[in-house]
């Protein structure tokens, strides 16, 4: 079910052609829990970049605080994530809406998860301190599900800034929390903060790759991948290849191999070598 949904949205990304989904609503309704979240979020991929229609396309699924009812937190969270995808990196007109949705979500960790991701995408690379602090507040509630979304979103907001404060705060909380989901979100978020910084990430990568927590070690691999994305940098490739055969953890080795694809993005002829 989910594979069919994803295949359809990738085929129609940015086209606004959601005919398949609308003609198969009964089939789509079979999705439950996180599959429902993903199916709703998929609309954001199809309508990506079509800013004027975003709210109307998702109106059926978006939270309606005035009604007092929440028929499905999964479709509500997914719709907020979708809204962020539609407005990714063009979020001036939707950031306030998503901030309000985040504040109104209360303790509903599924809606918070979607609101965090949507807000992170809409405010991508803005270095907006108000949004960063709102996301940090969600992170500090120490909920595994919403914390994972907040960690990724904090990185999206600080994308490519190499903010020392953001990295220090995210890394400190990753060491404090017991939730693997939250640590995973923070590891990805830290990598996003270092996007495009190349040698500027080296000290942080050294710290992450020596961490005893394998999730933070694979965050180190993602950090190399983001910092050197598309550069084909030889030292970055050597480091990833070394970890791909030497780390004791399967996930760390897997992400090191994935990182090769990011570093060699745009140079496919180099990858088989």
């Amino acid at each position: 079910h989910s594979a069919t949904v994803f295949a359809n949205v990738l085929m129609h990304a940015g086209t606004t052609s959601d005919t398949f989904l609308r003609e198969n609503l009964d089939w789509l309704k079979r999705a439950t829990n996180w599959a429902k979240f993903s199916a709703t979020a998929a609309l954001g991929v199809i309508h990506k970049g079509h800013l004027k229609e975003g709210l109307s396309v998702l109106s059926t699924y978006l939270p309606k605080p005035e009604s007092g009812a929440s028929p499905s937190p999964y479709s509500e969270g997914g719709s907020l994530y979708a809204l962020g995808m539609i407005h990714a990196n063009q979020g001036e007109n939707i950031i306030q809406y998503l901030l309000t949705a985040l504040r109104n979500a209360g303790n509903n960790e599924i809606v918070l998860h979607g609101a965090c991701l949507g807000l992170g995408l809409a405010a991508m690379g803005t270095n907006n301190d108000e949004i960063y602090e709102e996301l940090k507040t969600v992170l500090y509630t120490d909920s595994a599900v919403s914390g994972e979304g907040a960690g990724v979103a904090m990185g999206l907001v600080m994308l490519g800034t190499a903010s020392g404060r953001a990295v220090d705060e995210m890394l400190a909380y990753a060491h404090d929390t017991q939730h693997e989901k939250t640590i995973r979100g923070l590891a990805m978020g830290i990598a996003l903060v270092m996007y495009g910084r190349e040698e500027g990430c080296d000290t942080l990568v050294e710290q992450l790759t020596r961490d005893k927590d394998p999730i933070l070690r694979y965050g180190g691999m993602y950090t190399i991948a983001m910092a050197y994305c598309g550069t084909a940098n030889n030292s970055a490739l050597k480091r990833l290849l070394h970890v791909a055969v030497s780390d004791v953890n399967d996930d760390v080795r897997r992400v090191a191999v994935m990182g090769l694809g990011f570093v060699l993005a745009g140079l496919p002829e180099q990858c088989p070598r």
Side-chain angles (χ1 to χ4, degrees), residues 88-200:
N89 204 28
Q90 304 178 69
E92 310 83 41
N93 298 321
I94 207 69
I95 283 174
Q96 197 55 51
Y97 179 95
L98 288 164
L99 261 177
T100 302
L102 183 76
R103 291 164 179 162
N104 290 340
N107 295 320
N108 191 319
E109 60 181 11
I110 299 149
V111 178
L112 280 169
H113 183 84
C116 285
L117 291 173
L119 190 55
L121 286 164
M124 190 191 303
T126 59
N127 197 11
N128 186 308
D129 200 55
E130 179 193 2
I131 296 171
Y132 174 83
E133 290 297 327
E134 286 281 348
L135 293 166
K136 191 167 76 174
T137 300
V138 175
L139 177 72
Y140 286 177
T141 61
D142 207 35
S143 156
V145 173
S146 54
E148 183 178 27
V152 174
M154 288 162 74
L156 285 168
V157 172
M158 294 294 179
L159 182 74
T161 63
S163 166
R165 176 179 74 108
V167 169
D168 289 346
E169 290 176 346
M170 293 163 80
L171 194 53
Y173 195 77
H175 283 130
D176 287 344
T177 186
Q178 300 299 308
H179 298 301
E180 284 192 9
K181 283 180 182 289
T182 302
I183 300 170
R184 192 177 302 119
L186 288 165
M188 303 265 311
I190 289 167
L192 290 166
V193 174
M194 302 307 293
Y195 175 75
R197 305 304 289 205
E198 299 190 32
E199 289 85 357

Side-chain angles (χ1 to χ4, degrees), residues 208-268:
L208 290 171
T209 52
R210 292 178 182 276
D211 202 285
K212 66 180 187 296
D213 189 334
I215 300 175
L216 288 175
R217 292 206 303 279
Y218 93 45
M221 298 304 98
Y222 274 127
T223 303
I224 296 172
M226 291 293 99
Y228 290 95
C229 187
T231 64
N233 181 277
N234 200 42
S235 65
L237 292 170
K238 282 183 177 178
R239 194 160 203 171
L240 289 168
L241 286 166
H242 172 71
V243 174
V245 296
S246 64
D247 199 277
V248 296
N249 184 272
D250 289 345
D251 288 335
V252 179
R253 295 199 302 273
R254 175 173 55 83
V255 174
V257 175
M258 288 168 57
L260 295 171
F262 283 98
V263 176
L264 290 170
L267 291 162

